[in-house]
Amino acid sequence: HKRLGHPRYNPAFFSIAVTRSIGDLFFKTGKFTDGKDSGLIADADTRKVTLTTDDKFVIIGCDGLWDVMSYQQAIDFTEARLQEGKSCQSISEELVNEALNMGSTDNITALLITLK
């Protein structure tokens, strides 16, 4: 397993936040890395899906959510709270807290978008 880190500098002094990974030239440009691989990529995992009239919501989450919760678990969790009349903000926060309770140790982001 190759560790992500700057190839020229000690990672104790130079590290990267996930939110900066797309554009941080210090980790990606040969001028700063001597052409060595830092392990940093900005290739998003994307999918094109055609929505239908049966679709009620979309959950966008990072790996901290999906590492511990299946898609179906997230759907069931969200549907139950929508039926209770909870807001998208509240449900998003509850998804994050549920992932924490399920043992996620990664960054956790959840965004709920209702379609109807």
Side-chain angles (χ1 to χ4, degrees):
H1 177 63
K2 193 172 181 182
R3 182 170 176 257
L4 174 66
H6 197 283
R8 279 181 57 193
Y9 301 102
N10 184 332
F13 301 107
F14 295 97
S15 63
I16 187 163
V18 173
T19 56
R20 293 179 48 210
S21 67
I22 293 174
D24 199 318
L25 294 178
F26 185 68
F27 279 80
K28 293 168 37 177
T29 305
K31 174 181 175 182
F32 299 109
T33 65
D34 291 334
K36 297 176 185 170
D37 183 20
S38 70
L40 180 67
I41 61 168
D43 299 329
D45 183 14
T46 62
R47 189 180 311 182
K48 183 177 180 179
V49 177
T50 303
L51 299 176
T52 70
T53 56
D54 293 332
D55 295 313
K56 299 174 188 165
F57 56 85
V58 174
I59 302 170
I60 299 173
C62 70
D63 57 342
L65 178 67
W66 305 123
D67 285 347
V68 296
M69 190 177 288
S70 71
Y71 297 143
Q72 192 60 55
Q73 285 174 306
I75 290 167
D76 295 343
F77 185 94
T78 300
E79 282 183 330
R81 281 147 185 84
L82 284 172
Q83 289 176 3
E84 294 172 5
K86 293 189 176 184
S87 69
C88 289
Q89 178 68 37
S90 173
I91 297 168
S92 296
E93 291 172 5
E94 288 185 40
L95 279 165
V96 169
N97 287 328
E98 184 66 12
L100 281 170
N101 292 336
M102 294 175 76
S104 181
T105 58
D106 205 340
N107 297 310
I108 308 167
T109 300
L111 173 65
L112 175 62
I113 303 165
T114 54
L115 302 173
K116 296 182 180 181

